[in-house]
Amino acid sequence: MSNLDTSEIKCGCCHCHKDEEHGHNHNEHNHNHDDGINVEGILLAVSAVITVAATILHLFWDFNPIAIGIGCGIATLIAGYETFIDGIKSIIKLKIDETTLMTIAVIAAFCLGEFTEGALVTVLFQFGEFLEDFAVKRSRKSIESLAEIRPDTGTIITENGEKVVNAEDIPIGSIILVKPHERIPVDGVIIEGNSSIDTSAITGESLPIEGTPDTEVMSGMQNGNGVIKVRTTKSAENSTASRILKMVEESQKNKGEREKFISKFAKIYTPIIIVISVLVAVVPTIVLGNFSIWLYRALVCLVASCPCAIVISVPLAYFAGIGGASKKGAMIKGGKYIEALAKADTFVFDKTGTLTTGKIQVCDITTFGSLTEEEIILYSATAEQYSSHPIAQAIIEKAEQMQIKIKNADSCAEKAGYGVTAIVDNKEVTVGNIKLISEEDKILTKNNASVFLLIDNKLQGAISITDTVRKETKEVLSQLKNLGGKNLVMLTGDNEEKAKIIAKETGITTYHSNLLPAEKVKHMEELKKSSTKTVFVGDGINDAPVIALADCGVAMGLGSDAAIEASDAVLSDGTLKQLPAMVRRAKRIMNTIKTNITFALLVKTVVIALGILGFAPMWLGVLADTGVSMLCILYSIRLIK
């Protein structure tokens, strides 16, 4: 994860920029010795003590000005020598950045005899830099901690025994041994052993799952107390942990509109401010005279105006927000998708596997003769008891729920494409699809049922089958409505009746049924025209085109490669639980950015105006720059939590 840094967080007049020629980052001077002593902090503290002492002596005891000047000069050099070196280099290269502005301002202050103010400006500036560095490093460290979920090695079982190899060298189909409390290096299926599996690093879910034979496990999950053997199903490169890391890394490339605007803003804003400062120094001097006063005021404007607070905090807010979301099992691939989530008023869902679990169940029983509902289930389950078809299993499960004891059946046979037949109580029982019944009976049943029961070739009942709605679906959709989701849409290939049942049960406002993948795309295009922003949530390969078309496409789980590649965000635990939290986080990120921009511009405008009028000293200009930057950065990195 070495490329997960904040070097992109930079501006034309900011001390955080990288020197392109030397690869030098002003934010990354190493002042820490091996024993953990922070030299930068000590020098700053010493400088602050000298500056405070000199200021007190100057204000209250009218101490010797030469001694005050020497003391302030020493304090200034101790605290800001690196800034001045960088500033002089920038001046030589004819580059205007924050170190240039600070160097000019401090030298001018000493030339004007404002010794204590020059020292105070330096100390405040360096203190701000110190806290900014801490904030940015903390943000970066939080993101880089994601790398820990991907083990570097794994224990492979070979003919010659156990062998520890790099995770990248574990072939698909290998048998690996995962010892207690080790992380699983690559995706696979447990073939031996039992253990609890901590999935929190991948899904954000705190409760562990029971790992038994045939349980699918993902790289990055942590084994519990048992020893398990896993047959690998994916390479390290394509395993879950690697995918998550790749998505977080690539998220920095997809800049939002505000990030793009800020980059352009800095390039235009800085030259304008320099021109204004020059005019403040020159024009009033020509009209009113007293160059030293107007030069001082111009320097205040220069120092106060640097846009670092905005240029650093905006991308940092995206960066911190994406990192925080990934820890909760919600991966967002960039700032532009955060903006889409925050503004979304239309949420579109696939049905099977998204709003529902994909596991079918009996939802309705209809009688057409003298049999009761219990008897219809009894005869149907008896005929289906030897079938492995999912519908048969759903009917048998319904019989168990109704505490119906299945009878013995003779001459059970499957009629391909139609259903099954059996002899029960000396009666011929047939259970199958609509092809079994006559045109007259089709009119009677209205074609809404999934399974039909015939006894001695006479229609006796019908059973409707539907998906099981996810237990969180209704609550999730309710929360989305409260978050501004005016239109909750379901696009499904299922029939009208099933779609209607699911829509009513979950709270979907609009649904479209009997759709082919291409028809889903057409509906999505129409929804985009009438919506501020659209979000589509799906899980399968056939959802990939619609996911790609939405303003923010969300893939459910880490199963379908096509859906994940096409998606803009991923709910890694395969449920909808984190979707409202993802939207709330996106709104919080955007609100943080708006607050930072408004606050920074307001403070700078006020201080620049006061500086021109002569009411703002230079140290207040530093607070308007470094102080505001520090507050905005701290306000942004809280999004990590």
Side-chain angles (χ1 to χ4, degrees), residues 497-515:
E497 186 64 24
K498 291 180 182 178
K500 184 178 180 180
I501 292 170
I502 296 297
K504 185 177 180 180
E505 185 175 348
T506 59
I508 285 289
T509 57
T510 307
Y511 67 89
H512 301 280
S513 57
N514 297 305
L515 299 178

Side-chain angles (χ1 to χ4, degrees), residues 5-296:
D5 59 43
T6 48
S7 60
E8 290 297 322
I9 302 172
K10 58 189 177 180
C11 70
C13 73
C14 175
H15 56 280
C16 293
H17 77 286
K18 275 191 178 179
D19 188 318
E20 296 175 357
E21 293 180 19
H22 304 291
H24 178 63
N25 190 327
H26 300 306
N27 244 354
E28 297 185 354
H29 297 298
N30 186 3
H31 300 283
N32 297 331
H33 286 305
D34 293 337
D35 58 5
I37 298 174
N38 191 303
V39 177
E40 183 185 33
I42 293 173
L43 292 177
L44 184 57
V46 171
S47 178
V49 170
I50 296 173
T51 300
V52 170
T55 303
I56 292 173
L57 291 173
H58 172 66
L59 293 176
F60 299 104
W61 276 278
D62 197 22
F63 206 72
N64 188 323
I66 297 176
I68 294 293
I70 293 172
C72 288
I74 293 172
T76 300
L77 290 174
I78 290 175
Y81 70 95
E82 285 188 337
T83 297
F84 301 139
I85 291 172
D86 291 335
I88 292 169
K89 288 180 180 178
S90 295
I91 291 172
I92 293 172
K93 295 176 182 178
L94 300 179
K95 289 172 63 177
I96 302 296
D97 58 28
E98 192 169 64
T99 59
T100 308
L101 302 183
M102 283 302 303
T103 302
I104 293 172
V106 171
I107 291 173
F110 272 83
C111 291
L112 293 171
E114 301 289 346
F115 305 127
T116 55
E117 188 147 349
L120 189 60
V121 164
T122 306
V123 170
L124 286 173
F125 177 79
Q126 293 302 135
F127 181 67
E129 280 229 307
F130 183 79
L131 292 181
E132 283 180 21
D133 287 351
F134 172 77
V136 172
K137 286 173 183 175
R138 182 178 176 184
S139 175
R140 184 188 298 118
K141 184 178 180 181
S142 174
I143 300 295
E144 289 178 343
S145 66
L146 286 171
E148 297 173 6
I149 72 174
R150 180 177 59 187
D152 294 326
T153 61
T155 303
I156 191 170
I157 299 176
T158 67
E159 296 178 355
N160 299 322
E162 299 174 11
K163 182 180 179 183
V164 177
V165 298
N166 291 329
E168 290 79 5
D169 297 330
I170 299 176
I172 297 173
S174 302
I175 306 299
I176 58 173
L177 183 71
V178 185
K179 298 176 182 177
H181 310 297
E182 285 185 345
R183 289 199 181 273
I184 297 167
V186 292
D187 292 5
V189 178
I190 297 175
I191 60 170
E192 185 180 319
N194 295 276
S195 183
S196 63
I197 308 294
D198 181 358
T199 67
S200 59
I202 302 300
T203 66
E205 181 60 53
S206 57
L207 293 176
I209 63 171
E210 286 301 315
T212 58
D214 296 328
T215 300
E216 291 187 8
V217 291
M218 300 177 182
S219 62
M221 291 181 175
Q222 187 168 26
N223 188 22
N225 294 321
V227 177
I228 57 175
K229 291 181 180 179
V230 176
R231 178 180 286 110
T232 63
T233 56
K234 291 183 180 177
S235 64
E237 182 183 3
N238 294 317
S239 287
T240 302
S242 296
R243 280 181 171 180
I244 291 173
L245 297 179
K246 184 179 179 182
M247 279 188 279
V248 175
E249 290 170 2
E250 291 182 345
S251 68
Q252 298 172 79
K253 300 175 184 177
N254 297 313
K255 290 189 176 183
E257 291 303 317
R258 277 184 173 78
E259 285 181 283
K260 294 175 182 176
F261 167 76
I262 292 303
S263 298
K264 296 175 182 177
F265 168 81
K267 293 178 181 178
I268 299 171
Y269 172 86
T270 304
I272 290 174
I273 289 298
I274 292 172
V275 171
I276 291 173
S277 299
V278 171
L279 292 175
V280 169
V282 175
V283 175
T285 300
I286 295 173
V287 177
L288 303 173
N290 209 334
F291 175 69
S292 61
I293 289 178
W294 292 106
L295 174 61
Y296 181 86

Side-chain angles (χ1 to χ4, degrees), residues 406-481:
I406 297 174
K407 297 183 176 184
N408 292 325
D410 298 319
S411 304
C412 293
E414 183 175 347
K415 192 175 182 181
Y418 289 85
V420 297
T421 61
I423 302 299
V424 182
D425 294 338
N426 297 318
K427 300 174 184 177
E428 184 183 69
V429 177
T430 306
V431 181
N433 59 38
I434 200 168
K435 295 178 183 178
L436 292 172
I437 64 177
S438 66
E439 292 300 322
E440 184 180 342
D441 285 340
K442 287 179 183 178
I443 296 172
L444 177 66
T445 63
K446 298 180 182 179
N447 296 345
N448 288 331
S450 305
V451 180
F452 301 90
L453 170 67
L454 285 75
I455 297 181
D456 293 332
N457 294 318
K458 185 177 180 180
L459 179 66
Q460 295 292 331
I463 300 171
S464 294
I465 304 292
T466 188
D467 281 349
T468 305
V469 174
R470 290 182 181 275
K471 59 183 179 181
E472 77 272 11
T473 297
K474 190 172 182 179
E475 175 61 25
V476 164
L477 296 186
S478 175
Q479 290 184 46
L480 291 177
K481 284 182 180 178

Side-chain angles (χ1 to χ4, degrees), residues 363-411:
C363 65
D364 190 39
I365 305 166
T366 306
T367 65
F368 297 108
S370 60
L371 297 182
T372 64
E373 291 185 2
E374 288 78 7
E375 288 174 322
I376 290 172
I377 292 296
L378 169 62
Y379 280 109
S380 299
T382 299
E384 295 271 26
Q385 63 183 298
Y386 301 113
S387 174
S388 60
H389 193 282
I391 290 179
Q393 295 302 309
I395 294 172
I396 293 168
E397 187 175 318
K398 182 66 175 179
E400 293 174 352
Q401 292 172 359
M402 297 173 72
Q403 297 182 338
I404 295 172
K405 187 176 180 180
I406 297 174
K407 297 183 176 184
N408 292 325
D410 298 319
S411 304

